[in-house]
Amino acid sequence: MIQNIVIHKQSIDADLAAFSHQWREEWHKEYTPASLDVLESLLALLNRGGKRVRGALAMESYYLHGGTRREVAIGAARVIELVQAYLLIMDDIADNSDMRRGGLSTHAYLSTLHKETQLKGDAAHYGLSQATNAAMLASHQAMRQLVTLPASDAAKIRATELLNEDIGVTLVGQINDIFNEVAPMRIKREDIINTLTWKTAYYTFVSPLELGACLAGSDGLSERLRRYALHAGVAFQISDDILGTFGDSFESGKSADDDIREGKVTLLVSHARKHVNAEQAAILDATLGNQHATRSECDQVRTLFEATGARSYAASKATEYANQAIDALGETPEPFLVKLVEFAVQRRS
């Protein structure tokens, strides 16, 4: 992992732990145990964390654009991590995923709690309903944290404007991602790339970079940084799709079978469908999107991805977009940004 990310991750983890403790204490004094259960489900996800790439990127961008106040930099990371928690909860609901960051997803955690405490009604519905509330808590807390940062009002207004705009684009990506799963035969490769751009590039690269820039006093991103962010985001998600299908749960944070059972339309799927025979196509049709597919059946799909060259193709496209991202930085690229996109591609399993 990039040394700067390791350093930033330590700071972000410590900050989120302290922030979570304060939030928990406030709610303990004011609200019911049921309210605390939902808050705890959010804080569990927030503090399990990942590599904190997005938070680290917000901090680096703040300093890159001339910011000097550490409390603003770490506050920007806190905002981004809360936004990510919100989006991950909603994504897990949409994907019907029970695992995230090596633990139970938020709706699965709350559903399990419902069963263990012998509450009345449908445990699955309870989990989904309360997880939605947890997601909204994360979203609104992110905005609260943003507007209370020790930065100028003008900087915070512009940062809030662009952050909400970027989240809107991310939701457009999510809308299309869900649609692609139910209309896979209509989806072209350009539709997949558009979805990756809207859904991942904006919240993983554009949004953190813009937030840090705005809080440092800039109006937004330069054209070169925006082009870098868009290409890097696509490279990141293609690599994530490969890792999510061929990696292990420890590395990816979720089951390697999830994307197959969900029927997620990735470049792997698109390429494979164009290069299979009738028998292989039948295997794809029977397994992709089948929530009850066995591990053996999912392994058959992975074998097809290898045999049709889909895995190699997707890996080459990830590298292509990573190179475009680095090229966009020009003759004097920021070392951290170069290493970050290289790291995103190299983490393929």
Side-chain angles (χ1 to χ4, degrees), residues 6 20-21 28 50 53 70 75 106 117 135 154 169 175 223 243 254 284 293 298 303 345-346:
V6 174
S20 297
H21 176 75
H28 183 74
V53 169
R70 185 182 183 280
T106 305
T117 54
V169 176
I175 289 167
E223 181 58 29
L243 182 63
K254 63 178 185 177
L284 290 179
C298 291
T303 298
V345 175
Q346 290 168 358

Side-chain angles (χ1 to χ4, degrees), residues 30-220:
E30 295 288 336
Y31 302 121
T32 63
S35 306
L36 284 166
D37 287 341
V38 174
L39 177 62
E40 288 294 350
S41 73
L42 166 59
L43 297 182
L45 174 66
L46 186 65
N47 286 282
R48 271 203 309 272
K51 295 180 176 65
R52 304 296 189 195
V53 169
R54 296 163 185 83
L57 192 55
M59 294 180 71
E60 284 287 328
S61 180
Y62 174 74
Y63 293 129
L64 176 65
H65 288 87
T68 58
R69 303 186 65 176
R70 185 182 183 280
E71 61 267 38
V72 177
I74 197 69
R78 189 187 316 132
V79 169
I80 285 296
E81 292 295 333
L82 281 163
V83 168
Q84 186 188 10
Y86 149 63
L87 292 170
L88 289 180
I89 292 170
M90 299 307 296
D91 191 52
D92 286 338
I93 291 173
D95 292 352
N96 204 18
S97 294
D98 289 341
M99 189 176 180
R100 174 65 70 174
R101 289 175 169 172
L104 287 177
S105 60
T106 305
H107 68 274
Y109 171 92
L110 289 163
S111 177
T112 300
L113 182 65
H114 179 285
K115 296 174 185 176
E116 291 177 345
T117 54
Q118 300 181 333
L119 298 178
K120 182 181 177 181
D122 187 307
H125 177 72
Y126 180 84
L128 293 170
S129 299
Q130 295 289 39
T132 302
N133 288 326
M136 288 190 289
L137 279 173
S139 174
H140 290 293
Q141 182 64 253
M143 298 309 157
R144 179 187 177 194
Q145 292 298 310
L146 175 53
V147 300
T148 56
L149 288 177
S152 71
D153 288 346
K156 290 187 288 189
I157 289 171
R158 183 58 173 159
T160 303
E161 177 187 5
L162 290 182
L163 178 59
N164 280 281
E165 181 180 309
D166 292 341
I167 293 173
V169 176
T170 301
L171 294 176
V172 170
Q174 179 75 327
I175 289 167
N176 282 271
D177 198 28
I178 294 171
F179 175 78
N180 293 352
E181 293 172 14
V182 298
M185 305 310 292
R186 302 185 198 176
I187 306 305
K188 301 175 182 178
R189 287 181 183 174
E190 66 180 273
D191 298 319
I192 296 172
I193 296 300
N194 282 338
T195 300
L196 300 184
T197 301
W198 297 328
K199 181 176 177 179
T200 301
Y202 268 81
Y203 105 91
T204 300
F205 282 87
V206 176
S207 189
L209 283 169
E210 278 193 329
L211 181 64
C214 289
L215 289 174
S218 296
D219 187 56

